[in-house]
Amino acid sequence: DGGITQSPKYLFRKEGQNVTLSCEQNLNHDAMYWYRQDPGQGLRLIYYSQIVNDFQKGDIAEGYSVSREKKESFPLTVTSAQKNPTAFYLCASSMVGGTYEQYFGPGTRLTVT
Amino acid sequence: GESVGLHLPTLSVQEGDNSIINCAYSNSASDYFIWYKQESGKGPQFIIDIRSNMDKRQGQRVTVLLNKTVKHLSLQIAATQPGDSAVYFCAVSNTDKLIFGTGTRLQVFP
């Protein structure tokens, strides 16, 4: 089956710890994206990447970091510098260009206490 | 920068009625528009998309209308069913990414 996987579905961390969220796709897409969603809100772009070894900041990149060492993988690290990390995180992929459907993973709900 | 807004945060409809969800955008250069459905705790699912060279596109029970003059996009769902209950997002292209609206929650009652 082709698609995007995110793991884990639920993640709990203590304040002050860094945590890495996994995102893998087997759709052969060049572009990958990370979004944050807060209750009752839309999707806000954290980082995106259009090619291996390159990525760009989105609207809310502060306190987050990413890497893109492989086409299939785009992990997101939520650092201790992120002031309000508790949220639902969504990963997506698409063909390059911004004018194609983005395919979403099932999401990871991160709770930091 | 680009902004995308939805006209109503919540829409309640009776089962069997038609639903219309609206979206406004600000960038006249946007050329790709897409609607997603998101059920609670899940990732958004593609419903239908449209490019700027069209003003209407139909799918199964869904129609998207694009009015570039007033920068307005709508999603019509025919014969709304309980399974249509979800949050609906529009997204609009902005160079190399999509900008998402805040979502409309569709509630279907019997």
Side-chain angles (χ1 to χ4, degrees):
Chain A
D1 276 334
I4 300 184
T5 57
Q6 291 185 244
S7 60
K9 187 163 178 63
Y10 299 96
L11 194 51
F12 299 88
R13 280 293 183 271
K14 294 290 186 187
E15 204 172 297
Q17 294 178 334
N18 291 354
V19 58
T20 298
L21 281 59
S22 167
C23 177
E24 304 273 335
Q25 55 99 0
N26 61 3
L27 299 167
N28 201 31
H29 286 158
D30 285 302
M32 296 187 75
Y33 311 82
W34 273 106
Y35 294 91
R36 170 183 172 136
Q37 188 175 32
D38 293 289
Q41 303 294 314
L43 279 63
R44 292 187 289 168
L45 184 63
I46 304 173
Y47 270 98
Y48 63 109
S49 166
Q50 298 191 77
I51 195 168
V52 173
N53 292 323
D54 190 35
F55 46 82
Q56 290 76 41
K57 291 182 179 180
D59 300 317
I60 56 165
E62 187 176 347
Y64 300 97
S65 66
V66 293
S67 63
R68 187 85 187 276
E69 296 176 2
K70 297 187 300 181
K71 185 175 183 177
E72 303 80 20
S73 178
F74 190 40
L76 173 75
T77 297
V78 184
T79 76
S80 57
Q82 168 48 235
K83 291 183 172 45
N84 296 299
T86 295
F88 189 49
Y89 291 88
L90 287 158
C91 179
S93 72
S94 74
M95 292 192 284
V96 169
T99 57
Y100 299 98
E101 175 190 351
Q102 290 183 13
Y103 293 75
F104 283 86
T108 291
R109 187 167 299 281
L110 173 64
T111 302
V112 177
T113 57
Chain B
E2 168 75 79
S3 67
V4 178
L6 280 155
H7 293 183
L8 284 175
T10 303
L11 177 66
S12 296
V13 299
Q14 190 163 24
E15 183 178 352
D17 284 353
N18 296 336
S19 303
I20 300 176
I21 301 171
N22 296 300
C23 185
Y25 62 97
S26 62
N27 186 354
S28 56
S30 295
D31 58 1
Y32 178 69
F33 308 85
I34 187 168
W35 283 98
Y36 285 94
K37 172 185 180 183
Q38 187 180 28
E39 296 175 339
S40 182
K42 297 184 178 180
Q45 296 174 279
F46 171 85
I47 302 172
I48 192 167
D49 59 2
I50 189 168
R51 298 193 181 273
S52 58
N53 60 350
M54 302 174 70
D55 53 21
K56 180 179 180 179
R57 191 162 186 230
Q58 289 184 289
Q60 188 178 8
R61 282 201 307 119
V62 294
T63 300
V64 55
L65 298 177
L66 176 62
N67 186 329
K68 294 180 289 295
T69 302
V70 296
K71 297 197 279 289
H72 182 270
L73 184 70
S74 69
L75 175 71
Q76 300 179 2
I77 304 173
T80 312
Q81 302 169 358
D84 295 326
S85 295
V87 177
Y88 290 81
F89 292 96
C90 67
V92 175
S93 67
N94 184 3
T95 57
D96 56 357
K97 52 188 182 292
L98 294 176
I99 306 298
F100 284 79
T102 51
T104 290
R105 179 173 296 280
L106 178 63
Q107 298 175 325
V108 182
F109 58 92

